[in-house]
Amino acid sequence: MRKNIVAGNWKMNKNLQEGIALAEELNEALAEKTINCDVVICTPYIHLAPVCATIDTDLIGVGAENCADHESGAFTGEISASMVASTGAQYVILGHSERRAYYGETNATLKTKTGLALKNNLTPIFCVGEVLAERENGTYFDIVKTQLSEALFELSAEDFSKIVIAYEPVWAIGTGKTASPAQAQEIHEFIRKTIADKYGKEVADNTSILYGGSCNASNAKELFANPDVDGGLIGGAALKVETFMPIIEAF
Ligand code: PGA
């Protein structure tokens, strides 16, 4: 059966020392508790190797927030999927709305990045989600379906089953505005059905679909209680152990 996952997305926060300290503090907090979900932290590239070396990677999975759309070569400033994997990281966020909006990532680029991530044994946490206007004009189902199908639906069922999906309505990211539990369930159920139509019920039932967008200690329990919400991708609240732990403990 699919896993419940709470993943943190640090974005461009924390210098190296602060990031290592946060990861160590989280490691300590988790070691003392019985946890009922997988915990992942996705960090800036520079933190990956030292964080993997200091924490217990059985307790906390580690991921990057992006990777390049080429294997290697003359791409100044880029970091490849194989470089990410060589740090000990096991995950990579792909298609975050901030990457799509500010760095022009398209479904076509993301298809390439997903292939490279899988080739290097990284688990993509693949983000989909609509902007406010698309929510309001009712096209969000089509938007999400297109994001999934253009970037992912040429994968084999075997490869698709290695992917974690994160539904993140752009209007809820960092805004303090959260999708209601009913809104989250509606679209998560739609995503699972879209996957089932393409890959069959078994693959769909085994796919973890996370919710992201102003998820915090006070709304996590209600959101995660939905049958098709398998955890969260957490931005702001993942930057402190005291705000991240209660979300993990919502399971
Ligand atoms: P937020 O970010 O929790 O700060 O809204 C979520 C995300 O962008 O992954």
Side-chain angles (χ1 to χ4, degrees):
M1 253 333 251
R2 59 186 180 259
K3 289 179 187 170
N4 290 324
I5 303 169
V6 173
N9 172 12
W10 290 4
K11 310 193 179 183
M12 198 174 73
N13 293 294
K14 305 283 176 194
N15 70 22
L16 183 58
Q17 291 73 27
E18 291 164 349
I20 294 171
L22 172 59
E24 282 174 346
E25 203 190 320
L26 180 65
N27 194 89
E28 265 171 51
L30 291 170
E32 288 165 8
K33 305 247 168 136
T34 307
I35 299 299
N36 300 314
C37 63
D38 285 8
V39 177
V40 177
I41 50 176
C42 296
T43 78
Y45 294 124
I46 61 157
H47 299 74
L48 295 173
V51 162
C52 288
T54 33
I55 61 161
D56 177 352
T57 47
D58 288 337
L59 277 182
I60 309 175
V62 178
E65 301 171 13
N66 180 30
C67 71
D69 56 349
H70 291 89
E71 290 238 46
S72 66
F75 300 99
T76 301
E78 288 294 290
I79 306 279
S80 70
S82 80
M83 291 174 187
V84 170
S86 73
T87 66
Q90 311 100 321
Y91 293 85
V92 60
I93 296 174
L94 291 176
H96 191 279
S97 62
E98 288 151 18
R99 299 287 326 164
R100 293 177 189 262
Y102 308 145
Y103 301 96
E105 294 196 3
T106 62
N107 295 330
T109 330
L110 293 167
K111 182 179 166 186
T112 307
K113 291 189 178 197
T114 302
L116 289 166
L118 289 170
K119 189 174 166 197
N120 288 283
N121 298 317
L122 294 172
T123 300
I125 300 176
F126 190 88
C127 303
V128 296
E130 79 285 356
V131 299
L132 186 60
E134 294 158 348
R135 167 62 53 175
E136 287 175 347
N137 69 19
T139 54
Y140 56 100
F141 291 113
D142 290 340
I143 294 294
V144 166
K145 189 174 183 172
T146 302
Q147 290 169 336
L148 289 170
S149 62
E150 290 189 359
L152 303 180
F153 282 2
E154 278 174 41
L155 293 171
S156 66
E158 192 191 340
D159 276 344
F160 184 86
S161 62
K162 296 172 187 158
I163 289 179
V164 172
I165 303 292
Y167 167 70
E168 298 205 303
V170 181
W171 46 273
I173 296 176
T175 57
K177 205 172 169 209
T178 319
S180 69
Q183 284 174 323
Q185 172 56 26
E186 177 194 47
I187 186 90
H188 280 234
E189 190 178 343
F190 172 78
I191 291 169
R192 200 175 306 285
K193 184 178 176 303
T194 303
I195 297 168
D197 289 345
K198 171 70 189 168
Y199 290 108
K201 190 174 180 317
E202 196 183 332
V203 171
D205 283 345
N206 283 319
T207 303
S208 298
I209 307 174
L210 315 184
Y211 169 80
S214 300
C215 186
N216 59 39
S218 50
N219 57 35
K221 226 187 184 94
E222 251 193 322
L223 285 161
F224 299 171
N226 285 296
D228 289 298
V229 179
D230 309 311
L233 181 56
I234 318 299
L239 294 173
K240 285 188 193 148
V241 170
E242 59 269 33
T243 49
F244 195 40
M245 271 308 275
I247 302 175
I248 295 166
E249 292 178 289
F251 278 114

